[in-house]
Amino acid sequence: MMNEQKTHEKYDVIIIGGGPAGLTAGIYSSRAGFKTCIIESGVIGGEAASTDLIENYPGFPDGTSGLKLTENMEKQAKKFGTEIIYDKVIKIEKTNQLQKGKYKILVTNSGKIQTKAVIVAVGTKPKLLNIPGEKKYKGRGVSYCATCDGFFYKDKKIAVIGCGNSGIQEGLFLLRFVKKIEFVEFLPKPTAEKVLLDKIKEYENVNFHLNSALQSINGDGKSATGITINDNTTLKVEEIEISGVFIYVGLNPNTEFLEGLVQRDKNGYIIIDKNQNTNVSGIFAAGDATIDTVKQIATAIGSGARAAINAGHYTENTN
Amino acid sequence: MSNPFPKVIVFTSPYCSWCKRVKSYLQQKRIRFTEVDVTKNSSAARDIVRRTGQQGIPVTLVNNRPVIGFDKSKLDRLLGIR
Ligand SMILES: Cc1cc2nc3c(=O)[nH]c(=O)nc-3n(C[C@H](O)[C@H](O)[C@H](O)COP(=O)(O)OP(=O)(O)OC[C@H]3O[C@@H](n4cnc5c(N)ncnc54)[C@H](O)[C@@H]3O)c2cc1C
């Protein structure tokens, strides 16, 4: 039974976000005997659940799928008693309840819920380019998720925008289906790790447009049919025919709802100390949504564990 | 709900996390559905694009009416879930 409708339930620890950081916090917190729940607005597993092959997570010499890995984390968290509620946290109430020893009130789409400690593990979402055609052809040629949409481009030519780790890694996945990939990168060089670049170089059906900006995504009104790119040095404009565009140009943290309460840096990442404390006592943060500069599963789970242990200490000292 | 046994088809792939979310929601609400893995059935993939213009999954057909992605409120409305 889903418990979406429960209101005013009281928890020791509520974790906002069920990605790797939140699931790890759930495992530690519920195993330590705290009444714990994870509130998740999308899919359990977060960004990691959409990644086909994870090769750098320890313990899996042949790599593992992000979906399987996070399904196992979910099982482990539930086994120790973590509850999962599918809902979206829209606010943490800014009242004198935030004082130490008082329950904090989280406002969700379907009600209010109380907790002694909060762990914010809300991760990030893909950055949009805000160029002509991007919105219009979303789902009709424009995608941010290779594992969701890749198959629809079987034997077609596509573009991947962004040659960081995500762009190259997802490009490698897409090469299972597509005929050819035109990679577009704004910087003069791809920024992905060498191990990924070495792999992509083995393919003949890839082409790189470096030092180039994507100007627009063009289409016939129904779906995307091409892109226009602009060389940053020569200013030459080029039109390329493609059937799909996968965009990996960076991430933005899902932290808008903390505005005016929890301190964030200028890009919206949550400011934490070495114990994952935010500026508000009893509110902790972990994973990709924090100022931690490495955004990986291994670092997200480390910070989730640290946040849960410290939230536990806080909860024990709260009546 | 007008039809107590709606015909529900969910188009999925093995690597799609949002597909898992749609399926677990339907299971939890005890709605029977047929799953079609588009990676094993290219004509199903073409059919989705033809019907919805959508080049992605999950897509759920409820009595032939498409729901794109995990759109809980639309699923609830078409399935009479309160
Ligand atoms: C394409 C791509 C490939 C990657 N490949 C790798 C790799 O090979 N190896 C690796 O280690 N890392 C990889 N990463 C990075 C890895 O996915 C992240 O570092 C990791 O998922 C971060 O975990 P997290 O729990 O902090 O956040 P997320 O995984 O982003 O999870 C946050 C969760 O919070 C939920 N949420 C957000 N706001 C709210 C709210 N208000 N209320 C309730 N829930 C909310 C979201 O729905 C989401 O499920 C990759 C990332 C991408 C995008």
Side-chain angles (χ1 to χ4, degrees):
Chain A
M1 247 329 256
M2 186 141 72
N3 29 20
E4 269 172 329
Q5 310 309 331
K6 277 187 194 168
T7 50
H8 294 289
E9 183 87 13
K10 283 187 177 173
Y11 287 89
D12 293 322
V13 179
I14 289 186
I15 299 153
I16 312 176
L23 289 168
T24 307
I27 293 167
Y28 273 77
S29 178
S30 53
R31 185 167 176 274
F34 296 106
K35 187 171 161 58
T36 305
C37 95
I38 293 176
I39 304 182
E40 169 56 57
S41 60
V43 289
I44 286 289
E47 285 284 354
S50 302
T51 303
D52 171 56
L53 179 66
I54 312 233
E55 283 189 312
N56 52 6
Y57 185 78
F60 297 88
D62 302 320
T64 177
S65 99
L67 191 58
K68 273 208 196 107
L69 177 67
T70 54
E71 272 174 2
N72 280 333
M73 290 183 189
E74 179 186 0
K75 259 193 216 151
Q76 202 172 346
K78 282 182 172 166
K79 184 182 96 177
F80 292 120
T82 300
E83 291 174 40
I84 293 181
I85 298 177
Y86 284 103
D87 203 343
K88 183 170 186 164
V89 176
I90 47 178
K91 204 169 122 187
I92 301 177
E93 279 193 356
K94 194 181 172 183
T95 59
N96 58 5
Q97 307 277 34
L98 287 175
Q99 285 164 10
K100 200 171 166 97
K102 296 276 171 79
Y103 277 93
K104 293 160 184 57
I105 298 173
L106 306 190
V107 184
T108 72
N109 275 339
S110 58
K112 288 185 180 184
I113 190 160
Q114 298 189 57
T115 180
K116 288 179 183 168
V118 181
I119 299 173
V120 184
V122 289
T124 56
K125 56 178 169 292
K127 244 185 212 167
L128 305 184
L129 281 165
N130 292 316
I131 52 165
E134 186 180 19
K135 241 194 206 145
K136 180 167 179 186
Y137 294 116
K138 186 172 172 215
R140 294 162 185 264
V142 176
S143 173
Y144 305 86
C145 179
T147 52
C148 312
D149 307 337
F151 185 75
F152 287 80
Y153 300 92
K154 196 166 185 304
D155 301 324
K156 293 188 176 155
K157 185 166 94 164
I158 61 158
V160 169
I161 316 302
C163 295
N165 284 340
S166 298
I168 300 294
Q169 190 171 358
E170 299 306 282
L172 284 165
F173 171 76
L174 289 162
L175 280 163
R176 289 192 205 170
F177 312 111
V178 303
K179 190 164 78 185
K180 186 173 183 190
I181 299 185
E182 303 281 349
F183 282 96
V184 180
E185 168 59 53
F186 185 79
L187 298 171
K189 264 191 184 167
T191 56
E193 302 163 316
K194 184 173 176 300
V195 56
L196 292 172
L197 292 174
D198 286 347
K199 271 192 193 164
I200 205 101
K201 275 182 203 150
E202 286 172 17
Y203 289 84
E204 282 174 3
N205 51 343
V206 298
N207 195 15
F208 283 84
H209 304 265
L210 302 175
N211 205 18
S212 297
L214 182 65
Q215 273 191 340
S216 65
I217 295 163
N218 317 319
D220 57 9
K222 273 202 217 145
S223 53
T225 55
I227 52 172
T228 305
I229 61 171
N230 188 356
D231 187 299
N232 293 334
T233 327
T234 62
L235 302 181
K236 195 181 129 210
V237 173
E238 192 181 348
E239 287 197 15
I240 305 172
E241 265 183 40
I242 44 87
S243 307
V245 191
F246 286 78
I247 303 179
Y248 297 99
V249 293
L251 301 157
N252 278 326
N254 295 313
T255 56
E256 299 87 349
F257 74 105
L258 300 171
E259 177 70 47
L261 179 66
V262 174
Q263 265 174 14
R264 299 170 303 150
D265 73 3
K266 66 176 186 341
N267 297 315
Y269 290 97
I270 302 166
I271 297 172
I272 42 156
D273 69 9
K274 65 181 188 343
N275 291 322
Q276 313 297 136
N277 286 297
T278 67
N279 61 306
V280 183
S281 127
I283 302 184
F284 301 81
D288 280 11
T290 68
I291 49 168
D292 206 341
T293 49
V294 180
K295 312 276 183 218
Q296 287 284 291
I297 300 169
T299 51
I301 65 160
S303 66
R306 199 157 41 239
I309 290 169
N310 288 312
H313 294 327
Y314 175 87
T315 305
E316 272 165 350
N317 297 326
T318 307
N319 299 312
Chain B
M1 194 168 24
S2 48
N3 179 354
F5 299 109
K7 190 167 177 235
V8 183
I9 305 171
V10 188
F11 294 88
T12 65
S13 88
Y15 1 80
C16 150
S17 52
W18 285 98
C19 300
K20 184 187 136 204
R21 179 83 178 89
V22 171
K23 286 189 291 176
S24 65
Y25 184 67
L26 294 176
Q27 276 156 359
Q28 178 216 327
K29 297 289 175 192
R30 300 187 196 286
I31 307 268
R32 285 186 170 208
F33 62 89
T34 308
E35 180 175 0
V36 178
D37 177 350
V38 296
T39 65
K40 293 200 183 116
N41 187 339
S42 305
S43 67
R46 281 195 297 274
D47 194 40
I48 295 176
V49 180
R50 194 176 46 78
R51 278 175 197 246
T52 66
Q54 197 67 21
Q55 305 188 37
I57 40 172
V59 169
T60 308
L61 294 180
V62 180
N63 293 329
N64 264 329
R65 296 179 68 182
V67 181
I68 290 157
F70 177 62
D71 182 343
K72 183 169 166 288
S73 48
K74 189 161 180 194
L75 278 175
D76 286 354
R77 200 172 65 245
L78 292 179
L79 291 164
I81 297 170
R82 263 177 287 156

